[in-house]
Amino acid sequence: MVHVFLIHTLRTTKAEEGLCRVLYSCFFGTENSPNDPQPHGAERDRLLRKEQILAVARQVESMCQLQQQACGRPAVDLQSQSSDDPVHLHESPCGAFRLTAGDPFQEPRTVVWLGVLSLGFALVLNAHENLLLAESTLRLLARLLLEHPRLLVPTANLLLRADCIEGILARFLPHGQLLFLNDQFVQGLEKEFSAAWPR
Amino acid sequence: MRHRTLHGTRPGTLHGTRPGSRRCCGLFSRSRQSADCEGCSPGGGGGGSGGGGGGGGGRMFTTGAESLLRQAREIRDEELGKFCARVCALLRKEDWGPGAVDALRRLFLIVSATKYSRRLEKPCVALLQTTLCSPTCPEQLQLLCAAVLREMSPSDSPSLSCDHIQGTRQLDLVASVLLAQGDQQQVRSLGQCVLKVLESRQPEGPSLRHLLPIVSKVTSLAPDALREEQTRALSKRLGDWLRYASVQQGVAHSSGGFFSTPRARQLGPVTEVDGAVATDFFTVLSTGQRFTEDQWLNVQAFSMLRAWLLDSSPGGSSAPDVDDRSELEGSTLSVLSAASAAGHPLPPQEWLQEKAFEYCQRLLEQSSRRALRKADSDLQKACLVEAVLVLDVLCRQDPSFLYRTLSCLRPLYTRLRGDPAWVRALLPVARFFLRHGEAAAVDAEAVYQHLFTGIPAEHFHSPMLAFEFVQFCRDSLPLLGRNLGVLRTSFPNLFKFLAWNSPPLTSDFVALLPSLVDAGTAVEMLHLLLDLPCLTAALDLQLRSLQTASERPPWDVSIRAPGCLEAFRDSQVQGLFQHLLRAQASGTAERLTPLYRLLQPLAGCARVVQCAEAVPTLLRAFFSAVTQFADGVLASQLALLLLERSDSLYQVPGYEAGVHRVLGSQFPALCKLHPPLVVEQAKELLEFVGGPRGGGHVLASVVWAIGEYLSVSWDRRCTVEQINNFFEALEALLFEVTQSRPSTTLPKCPPQVISVLMTTLTKLASRSQDLIPRASLLLSKMRSLAQSPAPGSVCGEDAGAVRTRATELLNLLKMPSVAQFVFTPSVAASEPRYHRDTNTALPLALRTVSRLVEREAGLLPG
């Protein structure tokens, strides 16, 4: 079960100007423990969720930077790729790390991430999720998102394409449920989505 | 790229814009068309300036996003109000065209871009909800409405309810908003709503598949959301969906040719991933061109199966990972399982378990087929992992599955262990054997031996496998029991994962170390931890030596030291490499100094530096684990090792300083654990303070430990001669560090070291009182030296501190008996009595002494 899906900016080095920005995020349900002794105000809960997401995004960014450095890949490599080149998702940096209980979520979680060009995609999962499935789902989502709304053209229109992201998530990750979809199922859903979405 | 203005400064843009208008720009006014147009401009669609634009594609993207986000955040409430009015107008007249889509996209951005709550007018929220539930509204708009409402949640006054929703699609949308509220009561009533729809429909009803993920989510958020009979009924249906989905492909509605009427065409039976016609029932690994609704339900049912089995079992999911092997497991191991008593319908939960078992068995068979598509071959692996995990759950819930499960897992294990492509699927199989091995008479140790010896050495460079493997080790700890030894002796192999992937794995290893280390491996492990960056470099070299030049990834700028690679194959150092890259603890630790020199060209590699940065954290975890169980012998061994290794490290930038800080803080801890070690190892300690030394941290703590523990009160074997020897060595050392000219190559001595040296010398003098005159002379020298320090030695505040300390020590030495009391308190001084009893109280004595010292100090000039 996926807890959060998020897309955020990815800088190649810490030194680069700007901040790590969350461009899209979706909580699938919330993790209020049943016996939360002190229900906080709605506003505080929302603030907490946003901070949690940002905390994950920052960690993903730094994991990705460290992995890229370790591979000896020059810092410009991720960004300089023209968005017209076909993106080779299987060559994109990806990884996983654990979040211990309480930091930033109540329950322990696993994060699976994928870095494509200047975007980071991440799934926050329950601790004992099927990581092979999570990883391939994340790659699938990234591919669909990159292909359909042309996210990578150098404008900011990802921010204004929430409907597209929602449409893809509703089909391929409904309510955070990871699905075992074989290639034919994926194609069927893709067709259905393309038909419902004017490009 | 066009620059977007901050629309807020131009009041006109708000009302003046219409969809499609090109006059204005800004968050509110960018039209769909212009957005798309920009989408194909430089760097994107391949315009004339594509090269330039592409070069900075990423950055430009970020800059654009940055400015849009800023605009969205800075919108004031009144502007937002006006914007909402426009959205409302569109929604009210059910104008669901591109204008509404565009406006809602912007509204979503405004609401989601800030972490603080955005308040929308009540009528606006109500309209969003109405649109969300409208049966005729296009999906695109409805998803946007749902997204806006979800982004505003949790809200204090949710008014959306699922009670009167018709249609599964609407329920699906409303559920996404309600689940985001985080309200348990709401989650439960949503669960009831969904169940009502599920129950009221025929099994083949349309779009039922959209409801299953909601059920899954609801039960994970609120395990008590469904009543027992509802759970049972759903279990029964899940079992049916799993086992009895149609084996014919879905019907293709072809439009027919020009002359023929539209007709439905049957596409024939589903196939396996390798293209063969399916031989058995439908599963997620069965393919076709079109799928029927019940095949969709089959996919959904399997996707939620494991969580459902755990949540719906009578014990609940409260402890899914507790080792709950009961006595049952061994005794009821029976060939006769529940299923053989067929003929009678099983109770729903057992029905589901039985169908789940058959399903998993079929998946295991299907996963051995050669998939035609790459995506399907990935899915096969994921399915195999899931099947084994489900089987594990089943066997835990009902041990009678064990016999049948083992008979398919044994051949599976044999198949998988020979194929490196399936290495990640091996882990759950191994875990299964670990959990159930005893009852099943499987030699779990052999499985582990294979796992820990082969996999890390061959696959350390796969980040996902590394993560999974380490998680596997962590999760298996409670199960390992008598097999823990295999894990412990495999630490050199496990460290390969750590050396290669230190950033994501450091915290896991910190948690794992206490279980990995024991008295038998501590010394070897400390050596390897200190050599971890060197191991990273060696692994790098090993990888490079295996690849031919053409196989190297294109970004790999080969280090300009081909000598390294040649040396890797050189027989002279081969032994050292083999030792460093060993798979299991060898019981010895070779000195790797020749390798440090050889691997020096790799020391600047980012991966090596990252690993070096992780080592201090790991060392701290190591020592805090070791000090829990170390005896005197081990403490002595580690203390000596620490001294020996403090100046024998692989030279990575910043590494030595970081390691010295930890070693310096750990040496006193080891001495405290076993105080006699100072007396026992006097010879080695003398050599250390007399020989060439590294940084001040280790030196200071060694000198402190000598002053603290070189005393008959800690070890009766301590002799005057020993004290005198140490005094002489430290005296020479103090002389050396304070007298050395600034021009010499020695690093400047920190004042802490000078101060510790003076104190230790005074302590020793108080124990061997013949030394008092020498110590006093030395201290007064130090005092005058600090008053007029030689340029470059000590200065300013530091000099002041040294002077004060010298003065205090001098005063104490004037009263030898007091000095002895203060510097060598009896062990009894730490007993509570000393602190409670007013006559013997230590504070009283200390106060008296400090009065004496202060008075004396006050009498002295400066």
Side-chain angles (χ1 to χ4, degrees):
Chain A
M1 193 61 88
V2 177
H3 188 56
V4 189
F5 169 72
L6 65 152
I7 308 175
H8 57 88
T9 58
L10 212 54
R11 294 163 299 158
T12 42
T13 56
K14 277 268 181 283
E16 200 178 311
E17 59 192 283
L19 297 163
C20 175
R21 297 284 190 202
V22 176
L23 300 178
Y24 173 87
S25 66
C26 180
F27 257 90
F28 299 102
T30 51
E31 64 163 4
N32 282 14
S33 66
N35 308 316
D36 197 350
Q38 284 176 315
H40 312 295
E43 209 162 325
R44 241 192 87 187
D45 280 346
R46 185 173 182 280
L47 183 65
L48 176 69
R49 283 189 213 177
K50 290 279 181 189
E51 296 285 6
Q52 286 171 331
I53 289 176
L54 189 59
V56 174
R58 287 200 191 109
Q59 284 198 54
V60 170
E61 189 188 45
S62 105
M63 286 297 170
C64 184
Q65 286 167 354
L66 289 166
Q67 197 190 85
Q68 290 298 97
Q69 285 164 15
C71 290
R73 211 188 277 240
V76 283
D77 207 50
L78 254 187
Q79 308 245 315
S80 64
Q81 204 174 345
S82 163
S83 43
D84 260 5
D85 296 343
V87 179
H88 294 294
L89 282 178
H90 61 277
E91 283 172 13
S92 301
C94 91
F97 58 91
R98 261 170 60 89
L99 296 172
T100 49
D103 183 24
F105 300 101
Q106 286 173 18
E107 303 284 321
R109 306 275 177 194
T110 302
V111 178
V112 177
W113 60 266
L114 180 72
V116 188
L117 301 175
S118 59
L119 293 177
F121 297 85
L123 295 174
V124 180
L125 307 158
N126 290 345
H128 288 96
E129 204 47 77
N130 184 332
L131 283 190
L132 273 167
L133 180 63
E135 190 190 337
S136 64
T137 306
L138 186 60
R139 284 180 198 280
L140 172 66
L141 290 175
R143 175 177 73 75
L144 293 167
L145 287 165
L146 297 182
E147 279 176 8
H148 283 273
R150 294 184 58 78
L151 289 184
L152 291 176
V153 290
T155 60
N157 60 13
L158 161 67
L159 285 169
L160 291 173
R161 291 297 171 91
D163 52 319
C164 233
I165 308 175
E166 296 278 332
I168 288 170
L169 289 182
R171 284 167 178 78
F172 294 90
L173 193 63
H175 300 283
Q177 176 73 60
L178 291 168
L179 294 176
F180 290 86
L181 298 173
N182 66 42
D183 203 41
Q184 292 292 334
F185 274 100
V186 171
Q187 284 185 22
L189 282 176
E190 262 191 272
K191 272 187 206 142
E192 186 196 306
F193 173 69
S194 301
W197 248 258
R199 281 244 176 169
Chain B
M1 194 169 77
R2 205 168 306 159
H3 183 69
R4 295 182 192 86
T5 57
L6 204 88
H7 64 88
T9 55
R10 298 160 136 202
T13 52
L14 253 176
H15 304 292
T17 40
R18 300 178 312 276
S21 157
R22 281 170 179 269
R23 270 182 303 129
C24 313
C25 33
L27 179 57
F28 290 148
S29 52
R30 276 180 72 243
S31 66
R32 249 181 72 77
Q33 286 88 336
S34 71
D36 286 348
C37 173
E38 274 187 24
C40 2
S41 58
S49 60
R59 191 141 331 131
M60 279 167 80
F61 172 85
T62 319
T63 327
E66 193 76 28
S67 113
L68 258 185
L69 281 171
R70 203 180 53 241
Q71 287 186 55
R73 284 177 187 175
E74 286 170 358
I75 282 171
R76 290 192 298 269
D77 282 349
E78 55 191 285
E79 291 170 305
L80 181 58
K82 286 177 191 165
F83 185 68
C84 285
R86 213 182 96 201
V87 173
C88 288
L90 287 167
L91 293 183
R92 204 169 287 127
K93 47 179 197 209
E94 301 200 351
D95 176 354
W96 292 332
V101 173
D102 191 50
L104 280 174
R105 283 171 171 172
R106 282 158 212 277
L107 184 60
F108 172 78
L109 176 59
I110 293 167
V111 175
S112 65
T114 164
K115 57 185 178 183
Y116 303 107
S117 292
R118 283 281 190 196
R119 295 204 186 285
L120 303 187
E121 303 281 335
K122 276 220 168 91
C124 183
V125 175
L127 264 169
L128 287 171
Q129 293 178 353
T130 318
T131 315
L132 180 70
C133 301
S134 154
T136 50
C137 177
E139 185 194 356
Q140 202 180 3
L141 268 179
Q142 286 183 315
L143 281 174
L144 279 169
C145 290
V148 172
L149 291 169
R150 209 186 52 226
E151 267 301 322
M152 289 168 57
S153 62
S155 93
D156 283 322
S157 53
S159 56
L160 200 62
S161 142
C162 52
D163 289 342
H164 306 291
I165 307 273
Q166 304 294 317
T168 50
R169 204 165 66 93
Q170 276 70 33
L171 192 51
D172 191 19
L173 290 163
V174 170
S176 76
V177 180
L178 291 180
L179 287 170
Q181 287 290 335
D183 176 351
Q184 289 280 303
Q185 198 45 52
Q186 236 166 4
V187 170
R188 281 189 208 100
S189 58
L190 174 67
Q192 288 304 321
C193 261
V194 173
L195 256 276
K196 211 161 64 193
V197 181
L198 270 175
E199 283 160 2
S200 70
R201 297 214 173 213
Q202 293 301 307
E204 287 79 29
S207 309
L208 223 49
R209 61 176 156 120
H210 295 297
L211 299 181
L212 284 184
I214 309 178
V215 177
S216 185
K217 192 84 217 182
V218 164
T219 45
S220 80
L221 290 175
D224 57 344
L226 305 189
R227 290 191 301 275
E228 221 167 282
E229 74 272 14
Q230 290 176 320
T231 307
R232 280 200 299 269
L234 194 53
S235 287
K236 166 79 176 63
R237 290 179 82 185
L238 285 170
D240 291 344
W241 287 325
L242 281 177
R243 183 62 179 76
Y244 301 111
S246 160
V247 285
Q248 292 293 315
Q249 296 190 33
V251 173
H253 295 279
S254 68
S255 58
F258 185 69
F259 297 106
S260 59
T261 49
R263 63 171 200 279
R265 191 163 52 91
Q266 193 75 40
L267 289 169
V270 292
T271 58
E272 304 285 353
V273 282
D274 58 359
V277 170
T279 50
D280 206 339
F281 61 92
F282 184 90
T283 72
V284 290
L285 286 177
S286 305
T287 79
Q289 288 176 39
R290 279 169 190 279
F291 297 100
T292 60
E293 191 61 25
D294 64 347
Q295 288 167 349
W296 274 106
L297 284 165
N298 181 285
V299 171
Q300 297 278 5
F302 179 63
S303 300
M304 66 184 278
L305 178 62
R306 182 158 54 103
W308 178 264
L309 283 172
L310 286 167
D311 288 338
S312 66
S313 77
S317 64
S318 50
D321 273 297
V322 174
D323 184 20
D324 48 5
R325 268 182 291 179
S326 57
E327 292 169 11
L328 271 175
E329 199 163 271
S331 57
T332 58
L333 196 65
S334 155
V335 191
L336 286 175
S337 73
S340 350
H344 306 286
L346 291 165
Q349 188 65 25
E350 282 154 46
W351 169 260
L352 175 60
Q353 287 176 337
E354 186 57 36
K355 297 302 140 191
F357 179 80
E358 289 167 17
Y359 198 94
C360 291
Q361 234 177 350
R362 170 135 167 81
L363 283 182
L364 296 188
E365 182 267 314
Q366 285 179 303
S367 68
S368 66
R369 293 172 179 270
R370 182 175 292 276
L372 297 176
R373 298 181 173 86
K374 162 87 172 66
D376 286 344
S377 116
D378 290 345
L379 185 70
Q380 279 179 307
K381 295 179 182 110
C383 284
L384 186 68
V385 167
E386 189 72 12
V388 176
L389 292 173
V390 168
L391 288 171
D392 177 48
V393 173
L394 291 176
C395 290
R396 275 187 284 158
Q397 291 182 341
D398 180 357
S400 66
F401 282 111
L402 201 50
Y403 182 84
R404 289 189 286 163
T405 305
L406 281 166
S407 65
C408 42
L409 285 194
R410 280 206 195 93
L412 177 72
Y413 175 73
T414 318
R415 189 186 106 206
L416 294 186
R417 62 176 286 177
D419 190 346
W422 290 76
V423 59
R424 284 170 71 182
L426 259 184
L427 296 177
V429 181
R431 190 164 154 74
F432 184 95
F433 286 143
L434 186 56
R435 198 191 284 278
H436 305 281
E438 212 168 312
V442 173
D443 187 4
E445 196 168 333
V447 176
Y448 280 112
Q449 209 70 45
H450 165 68
L451 214 58
F452 290 130
T453 347
I455 294 178
E458 284 158 31
H459 300 277
F460 62 87
H461 47 82
S462 154
M464 289 303 276
L465 177 74
F467 177 80
E468 280 182 310
F469 201 98
V470 174
Q471 179 158 314
F472 166 81
C473 293
R474 284 188 60 164
D475 292 345
S476 303
L477 283 178
L479 302 170
L480 273 164
R482 62 193 174 84
N483 286 316
L484 196 58
V486 184
L487 181 70
R488 282 184 170 158
T489 51
S490 305
F491 76 85
N493 239 0
L494 292 179
F495 279 11
K496 289 177 188 166
F497 284 128
L498 177 60
W500 197 258
N501 308 281
S502 56
L505 295 185
T506 304
S507 63
D508 287 285
F509 268 89
V510 166
L512 201 55
L513 270 177
S515 313
L516 276 184
V517 65
D518 65 3
T521 54
V523 170
E524 195 182 341
M525 191 183 288
L526 182 53
H527 272 295
L528 192 55
L529 277 176
L530 290 167
D531 285 329
L532 211 56
C534 191
L535 176 60
T536 312
L539 288 170
D540 191 318
L541 215 53
Q542 189 190 30
L543 267 191
R544 287 168 199 267
S545 75
L546 293 175
Q547 292 167 332
T548 60
S550 62
E551 279 173 337
R552 267 172 226 157
W555 65 79
D556 184 358
V557 199
S558 256
I559 21 159
R560 285 144 197 88
C564 280
L565 264 178
E566 281 158 29
F568 188 68
R569 301 187 184 99
D570 180 3
S571 59
Q572 281 194 315
V573 286
Q574 192 111 67
L576 288 182
F577 269 117
Q578 274 168 6
H579 175 73
L580 184 57
L581 295 169
R582 67 198 180 274
Q584 288 191 311
S586 62
T588 58
E590 307 247 358
R591 303 298 178 264
L592 301 175
T593 325
L595 285 192
Y596 301 156
R597 277 195 300 276
L598 211 110
L599 292 170
Q600 201 51 46
L602 285 158
C605 287
R607 197 180 293 279
V608 176
V609 175
Q610 282 172 16
C611 177
E613 282 165 1
V615 170
T617 310
L618 295 159
L619 285 176
R620 262 180 230 114
F622 170 83
F623 279 110
S624 82
V626 164
T627 42
Q628 300 296 316
F629 63 78
D631 59 3
V633 179
L634 182 57
S636 294
Q637 275 180 316
L638 291 173
L640 286 188
L641 192 163
L642 197 150
L643 298 184
E644 180 205 322
R645 290 301 308 266
S646 68
D647 66 343
S648 162
L649 293 168
Y650 184 39
Q651 293 299 311
V652 180
Y655 182 52
E656 201 175 59
V659 168
H660 279 175
R661 261 194 295 278
V662 183
L663 296 188
S665 68
Q666 293 305 324
F667 188 81
L670 290 171
C671 292
K672 192 174 171 209
L673 206 64
H674 181 58
L677 84 80
V678 176
V679 174
E680 285 165 5
Q681 312 294 345
K683 187 166 152 276
E684 285 78 6
L685 291 180
L686 268 173
E687 272 169 22
F688 180 76
V689 294
R693 296 152 309 265
H697 284 285
V698 183
L699 181 60
S701 61
V702 170
V703 173
W704 178 85
I706 293 170
E708 192 68 13
Y709 297 108
L710 190 71
S711 140
V712 275
S713 62
W714 289 110
D715 191 334
R716 297 201 156 278
R717 292 169 291 175
C718 177
T719 61
V720 176
E721 196 191 345
Q722 262 178 343
I723 293 179
N724 290 347
N725 287 345
F726 270 103
F727 187 90
E728 266 165 35
L730 295 180
E731 188 184 29
L733 180 61
L734 181 63
F735 185 75
E736 182 191 323
V737 297
T738 49
Q739 299 299 313
S740 53
R741 306 253 170 247
S743 58
T744 54
T745 50
L746 283 167
K748 214 178 88 179
C749 185
Q752 290 87 340
V753 175
I754 298 178
S755 180
V756 171
L757 271 169
M758 293 191 307
T759 313
T760 296
L761 283 165
T762 315
K763 285 177 178 176
L764 296 183
S766 76
R767 285 167 212 161
S768 169
Q769 301 196 349
D770 292 347
L771 295 171
I772 288 182
R774 267 167 83 180
S776 298
L777 187 66
L778 201 72
L779 288 170
S780 35
K781 254 197 213 162
M782 286 309 300
R783 193 174 59 185
S784 52
L785 188 76
Q787 264 164 344
S788 53
S793 58
V794 280
C795 57
E797 273 180 43
D798 292 349
V802 170
R803 198 174 60 228
T804 313
R805 173 60 62 94
T807 311
E808 286 169 357
L809 295 172
L810 262 175
N811 290 337
L812 278 171
L813 275 188
K814 285 180 186 156
M815 291 165 279
S817 54
V818 174
Q820 195 173 14
F821 172 71
V822 172
F823 287 128
T824 319
S826 63
V827 183
S830 61
E831 283 174 11
R833 191 176 61 85
Y834 251 89
H835 301 265
R836 285 201 211 105
D837 191 333
T838 40
N839 295 321
T840 61
L842 192 64
L844 179 73
L846 285 177
R847 256 201 311 281
T848 317
V849 171
S850 69
R851 259 210 303 280
L852 276 169
V853 170
E854 276 161 25
R855 200 181 63 204
E856 289 284 339
L859 293 174
L860 289 162

